Amino acid sequence: MPKMEALVENFDPSTLHPDFRLWLTAMPSPQFPVAVLQNAVKMTLEPPRGLKANMIGSYQDFSDSFFEECKQVSAFKKLIFSLCWFHAIMQERRKFGPLGWNIAYDFSNSDRDCCIKQLRVFLNKYEVVPYKVVVQLSGDVNYGGRITDDWDRRTMNTLLAEYVCPEALNEGYQFSKDQNYRQLGEGKYSDFMDALKTWPVQPHPEAFGLHENADITCAQNEVRFLFETILSLQPRISTGGGQSREDIIDQISARMLENVPAPWLLLDIQKKYPVKYEDSMNTVLQQECIRYNKLLVVMKSTLTDVRKALKGLVVMSSELDALSTSLFNNQVPASWESKAYPSMKPLVLWMEDLLARCKFVQDWVDNGIASTVWISGFFFPQAFMTSILQNYARKKQIGIDTVSLGFRNQKVAYTEIVEKPEDGVIVWGLFLEGARWDIPSESLAESRPKELFTPYVPIWLVPIQNREPADLAKTLMCPCYKILTRKGVLSTTGHSTNFVTTVEVPTNVSPDHWVKRGVALFLSLAY
């Protein structure tokens, strides 16, 4: 890059040919020379937006002669349609954010082209269509090579198995419940293009396997990104009457300092709840107090320092300046986020959530563990779930590797549960996205219109030795996350910073339906 920048800078217009142009093709790179960008005419190639435009873009590379190069012309045409449809779905689901894919992957046209070339090779080689081979190569190799999240891989395989199958060769086969998207019959290249041009410009979320509420989620994501960008560009100097920026930050800091709870005295906690072989919950409580104490200490010290800096008593460092900007913008400061639990809430709601969490821990310290536990209040809920297994294994004198948690949904609210179960713990505080829980049928049900998230019923986490695997035909293996982003990184403990556990959720319809819906459980929302 530096050598190229030097070459471009040494161009002398007086010695260059009038028709000389430098064409440069490159991937996006932060090291790209700024001077070259400023003096260049920039063009970008992006995939067309929308199912209709995506499919038409894919079919522009084909022709009648291309179709006829394959021995099994009819199967080739229809499976090309299936693969192009699959490619369009893979790309277009990204606009729905984590509801579409946990991680936004850059699927490219080369993935689609590689699948089509492999399809032609196998159709020319065999008399029958090797569906298993095509699905395996297309899913786990070509597209799956980009996918790093196991839940995204499950979604991809579910979609591909529905699009590339023997039934997909039947004319009129529906790729989704939307009547517009179905397998086309025998015809020429022009017939396919004419049919694609009749598709609606704005597809219904059902075409992607999602609920109609997904459009609301998509719109919210776009608006949130827009306002975050506007907020980052706002001026930092206030004009006119009213309070100054510094006065507002000072008031916010003073108010928060009054509300921040005092850290717990760990010696008192250790005396009241000592580490015991019979009760691992005591260890969990001590660890939670240590984690919250680190956050509370940082909050008190930084809030005190920023008030002093505003008055000129200490130097306004870059860290304090960033903290004051976050307080003014109602955002959680980065110095707090590094010590805190994952959260997407704005500062005001984040503070309310922190106070509720501290109250949860203080109630545990004062009165012992409750009959039902607010699992969202834990800094590290995985340790709490492990302690349930440890307590049961030590009580029964059995190996902990033979014990696993069962999930039994309750039919009443957590406030109506007064007695603790003999083994395990009843937890509450989870939220469901992409579906809702129907208590009468004891099954997942479709979300109501405009209802993006619904509270989930309390769950009895019951430890069971040598538990029988769940019936996958009637059970959705539902991922549970801390926050709505659905993605995280592996911490030093080997746990994800976001993923908590897999919850077994009963369903009266095929679990694949809910996989396409993007159903997941969360401990915390963004509001």
Side-chain angles (χ1 to χ4, degrees):
M1 290 291 185
K3 292 182 179 179
M4 183 191 68
E5 183 178 13
L7 288 172
V8 173
E9 287 179 351
N10 291 329
F11 285 163
D12 186 0
S14 61
T15 59
L16 291 176
H17 191 278
D19 296 331
F20 172 78
R21 299 291 185 274
L22 173 63
W23 287 86
L24 178 63
T25 304
M27 295 289 288
S29 171
Q31 285 80 33
F32 199 92
V34 177
V36 177
L37 280 177
Q38 291 174 341
N39 296 323
V41 177
K42 294 166 283 294
M43 295 184 294
T44 60
L45 179 62
E46 296 182 354
R49 299 189 65 177
L51 288 178
K52 177 181 179 179
N54 200 306
M55 289 290 288
I56 291 176
S58 295
Y59 265 76
Q60 285 178 344
D61 298 333
F62 305 144
S63 63
D64 287 325
S65 59
F66 176 79
F67 291 142
E68 292 168 0
E69 289 175 359
C70 181
K71 291 181 179 179
Q72 302 183 49
V73 178
S74 177
F76 188 49
K77 287 182 178 180
K78 292 180 178 179
L79 288 178
I80 278 184
F81 189 87
S82 296
L83 289 174
C84 290
W85 169 262
F86 171 69
H87 176 74
I89 293 295
M90 294 288 282
Q91 287 191 327
E92 293 302 314
R93 276 180 71 104
R94 288 181 301 187
K95 72 177 184 180
F96 298 101
L99 193 62
W101 300 111
N102 290 2
I103 300 171
Y105 304 100
D106 291 324
F107 300 113
S108 64
N109 291 345
S110 61
D111 300 323
R112 178 203 63 207
D113 296 341
C114 189
C115 292
I116 293 175
K117 289 178 181 178
Q118 291 171 344
L119 173 65
R120 184 170 59 182
V121 169
F122 287 119
L123 291 182
N124 287 333
K125 189 174 184 180
Y126 300 104
E127 297 297 327
V128 296
V129 180
Y131 292 101
K132 185 177 180 180
V133 177
V134 173
V135 169
Q136 189 80 19
L137 285 176
S138 301
D140 291 333
V141 179
N142 298 334
Y143 287 90
R146 299 181 185 272
I147 295 178
T148 56
D149 187 276
D150 288 339
W151 300 106
D152 284 341
R153 188 178 300 277
R154 181 182 71 164
T155 302
M156 177 203 65
N157 288 329
T158 301
L159 292 169
L160 185 58
E162 187 175 309
Y163 302 152
V164 181
C165 58
E167 294 80 9
L169 297 186
N170 299 330
E171 183 178 350
Y173 174 77
Q174 300 249 156
F175 289 103
S176 77
K177 292 182 180 179
D178 192 322
Q179 298 294 325
N180 293 297
Y181 308 109
R182 58 179 65 193
Q183 180 65 266
L184 303 181
E186 295 289 338
K188 296 184 178 180
Y189 169 75
S190 58
D191 298 330
F192 283 93
M193 292 297 289
D194 292 340
L196 292 176
K197 290 176 182 178
T198 63
W199 283 10
V201 176
Q202 188 66 27
H204 191 277
E206 189 63 57
F208 307 93
L210 299 170
H211 190 268
E212 61 180 350
N213 289 342
D215 268 344
I216 302 176
T217 302
C218 180
Q220 285 182 341
N221 293 336
E222 292 180 355
V223 171
R224 186 180 296 111
F225 176 75
L226 172 64
F227 278 99
E228 286 176 353
T229 305
I230 294 174
L231 188 64
S232 65
L233 298 175
Q234 71 172 350
R236 300 183 58 179
I237 301 175
S238 58
T239 58
Q243 291 181 312
S244 65
R245 181 177 182 271
E246 289 74 17
D247 291 339
I248 295 174
I249 295 172
D250 186 61
Q251 287 183 3
I252 295 173
S253 303
R255 186 167 60 249
M256 295 187 74
L257 266 175
E258 292 178 1
N259 295 329
V260 173
W264 284 278
L265 299 176
L266 293 179
L267 288 177
D268 294 343
I269 303 293
Q270 291 168 356
K271 287 179 181 179
K272 189 172 182 180
Y273 297 94
V275 176
K276 295 169 62 178
Y277 177 83
E278 300 83 7
D279 195 353
S280 299
M281 293 291 182
N282 292 357
T283 304
V284 174
L285 177 59
Q286 291 182 21
Q287 292 174 347
E288 288 294 309
C289 291
I290 291 172
R291 293 187 180 98
Y292 278 112
N293 276 359
K294 290 180 180 179
L295 173 59
L296 297 176
V297 168
V298 168
M299 290 178 65
K300 282 184 173 293
S301 63
T302 52
L303 286 172
T304 302
D305 290 343
V306 79
R307 294 196 70 195
K308 291 180 180 179
L310 290 172
K311 296 174 183 177
L313 301 178
V314 297
V315 177
M316 178 68 82
S317 63
S318 58
E319 181 181 346
L320 292 178
D321 183 57
L323 184 137
S324 63
T325 301
S326 297
L327 294 179
F328 185 74
N329 292 338
N330 193 28
Q331 298 172 336
V332 181
S335 57
W336 297 359
E337 282 186 328
S338 62
K339 303 291 184 183
Y341 45 87
S343 178
M344 297 178 63
K345 298 178 184 291
L347 182 60
V348 173
L349 297 180
W350 183 86
M351 190 65 188
E352 292 179 1
D353 184 53
L354 175 63
L355 296 178
R357 288 168 176 260
C358 291
K359 184 179 182 301
F360 161 70
V361 176
Q362 188 62 50
D363 289 344
W364 189 349
V365 172
D366 295 339
N367 308 315
I369 191 167
S371 56
T372 60
V373 176
W374 182 39
I375 193 171
S376 305
F378 285 99
F379 216 109
F380 188 54
Q382 292 95 326
F384 168 72
M385 300 176 71
T386 302
S387 70
I388 298 175
L389 299 176
Q390 285 181 335
N391 285 350
Y392 182 79
R394 291 171 179 176
K395 175 183 175 182
K396 301 293 184 180
Q397 294 294 302
I398 56 178
I400 192 172
D401 57 336
T402 65
V403 184
S404 59
L405 289 176
F407 304 90
R408 299 181 182 176
N409 292 345
Q410 305 300 293
K411 296 183 179 181
V412 295
Y414 74 93
T415 53
E416 300 178 28
I417 302 173
V418 294
E419 293 185 4
K420 297 180 185 177
E422 182 179 353
D423 295 311
V425 178
I426 297 176
V427 299
W428 59 277
L430 292 91
F431 300 90
L432 194 62
E433 182 184 23
R436 63 182 175 87
W437 179 255
D438 185 57
I439 295 179
S441 64
E442 297 186 15
S443 169
L444 287 173
E446 293 289 355
S447 300
R448 298 183 180 94
K450 301 181 182 179
E451 195 174 66
L452 304 184
F453 305 97
T454 54
Y456 198 62
V457 290
I459 307 175
W460 178 15
L461 302 179
V462 51
I464 303 173
Q465 185 181 17
N466 299 324
R467 188 168 66 97
E468 291 292 329
D471 183 2
L472 297 182
K474 299 179 180 178
T475 306
L476 171 68
M477 307 305 288
C478 183
C480 178
Y481 302 95
K482 294 179 183 178
I483 55 176
L484 300 177
T485 55
R486 301 196 187 198
K487 63 181 179 180
V489 296
L490 284 179
S491 61
T492 54
T493 61
H495 294 86
S496 170
T497 55
N498 195 2
F499 177 74
V500 179
T501 187
T502 302
V503 179
E504 297 171 1
V505 182
T507 171
N508 292 334
V509 299
S510 172
D512 290 346
H513 174 76
W514 305 115
V515 170
K516 292 185 293 182
R517 284 283 196 259
V519 174
L521 286 165
F522 300 94
L523 302 187
S524 175
L525 302 180
Y527 51 84

